Amino acid sequence: MNVFESPGGHAWSLAIHGGAGGRVEELGVQGDGEYEQGLADAHRVGARVLEDGGSALDAVCAAVAALEDNPLFNAGRGSALRRDGSIETDAAVMFGGRAGAVAALGSARNPVAVARRIMEDHAAVLRTGVTEEAVRSWGLETADTDYFLTPGRIAQLDNVQAGRIPAQTHGTVGAVAMDRNGRLAAATSTGGMVNQVPGRIGDTPLVGAGTYARDGVVAVSCTGSGEAFIQGVVAHEIAARVRHAGADLADAVRDVLHEEVGGRGVTGGIIAVGADGRVVVAHNSPAMFAATGRGADVTVWS
Ligand code: ASP
């Protein structure tokens, strides 16, 4: 397991991730640095919001939207394909004790924006069956199938179905932030697991499993084999250990990843920001795409 911890004490903090699945060979990325550039760019987008005094909510939504727009990552454009070759996306956001989430979404360009809209709408916390018309009526952008579907992801599904690469192939994007007012936010967005069965919903849109934020405690965004994160209620379990048992944040992240994810024989990664702005990035997978820091001092993992 790899665990990174950065000290808190700054005016704001931001960490983002691009999934724990590693590089997708079928996407045909030739040169080095494309994944790293995508992560650095998305981090910069969120960091600018926080630097300018914007909210943690605005920052995580902006960073996640940038990753959704980048076809290298499994969310929004370039999402992984389900068993029948279709794409459905899931996303969640949490801020200020409230959450919004969407599952099995069809045509919204930025699922995280839909999750935020659901949070702000008060009619529900988690919605499915959100139509293209509903997305448009909220003033959010829609896109057709060709926008989301990339040749690399089609080839990836072929390879999984032919048994040429492992079935448990994953990826997801997320962000956690503490703003200048000490408020915490988390957002996560995904196309789910490659070749997933119709109707499967992973941990990403389930508040407390893949996404959780509580002011004064922690904000968490997860990636990996979703069933383990759901059954271990991983994001909330980390918060509970910090809040009720006074656990050190890095210990809580490490132990929960070890017990609830590793203990179920699967892999994943977690990013978390504590109430003091401390950032923890941990994964038991071979790789994890992530970025944290500020200004010229941004660390990118790939
Ligand atoms: N956790 C996501 C899901 O289970 C996939 C991933 O993070 O790789 O849908």
Side-chain angles (χ1 to χ4, degrees), residues 59-302:
V60 294
C61 289
V64 166
L67 292 165
E68 288 174 340
D69 290 344
N70 187 331
L72 293 183
F73 301 102
N74 175 15
R77 181 164 182 232
S79 282
L81 273 55
R82 296 165 350 131
R83 188 160 294 179
D84 62 0
S86 67
I87 289 177
E88 286 184 346
T89 57
D90 305 329
V93 61
M94 189 158 189
F95 176 68
R98 284 171 38 208
V102 64
L105 184 63
S107 56
R109 178 176 160 148
N110 291 114
V112 71
V114 175
R116 179 179 183 161
R117 178 67 206 216
I118 289 168
M119 180 180 87
E120 291 171 342
D121 217 30
H122 293 281
V125 168
L126 170 61
R127 286 182 65 173
T128 186
V130 173
T131 62
E132 190 169 347
E133 292 67 39
V135 173
R136 276 210 215 95
S137 75
W138 289 331
L140 301 176
E141 245 183 287
T142 58
D144 56 24
T145 308
D146 289 350
Y147 170 80
F148 296 101
L149 207 59
T150 63
R153 292 292 181 188
I154 294 169
Q156 184 190 39
L157 180 67
D158 275 354
N159 283 337
V160 169
Q161 292 185 337
R164 288 188 288 267
I165 60 172
Q168 291 287 306
T169 300
H170 46 67
T172 277
V173 310
V176 291
M178 182 195 76
D179 63 28
R180 288 179 181 276
N181 293 315
R183 292 173 304 175
L184 300 175
T188 317
S189 179
T190 191
M193 306 279 285
V194 181
N195 199 37
Q196 69 183 26
V197 290
R200 172 191 180 266
I201 308 286
D203 60 311
T204 298
L206 300 185
V207 171
T211 310
Y212 189 72
R214 187 177 188 108
D215 283 342
V217 184
V218 71
V220 182
S221 173
C222 303
T223 175
S225 298
E227 283 63 24
F229 286 85
I230 295 169
Q231 292 167 117
V233 203
V234 164
H236 187 268
E237 177 66 16
I238 291 166
R241 291 185 187 200
V242 171
R243 185 171 173 224
H244 301 301
D248 171 74
L249 179 59
D251 289 345
V253 170
R254 180 190 296 110
D255 293 348
V256 173
L257 185 58
H258 175 69
E259 292 163 23
E260 301 295 344
V261 181
R264 288 181 163 83
V266 293
T267 60
I270 296 169
I271 57 171
V273 59
D276 59 356
R278 211 148 45 110
V279 165
V280 176
V281 178
H283 60 101
N284 70 346
S285 47
M288 169 96 169
F289 292 128
T292 190
R294 67 209 65 250
D297 188 20
V298 171
T299 306
V300 176
W301 289 265
S302 60

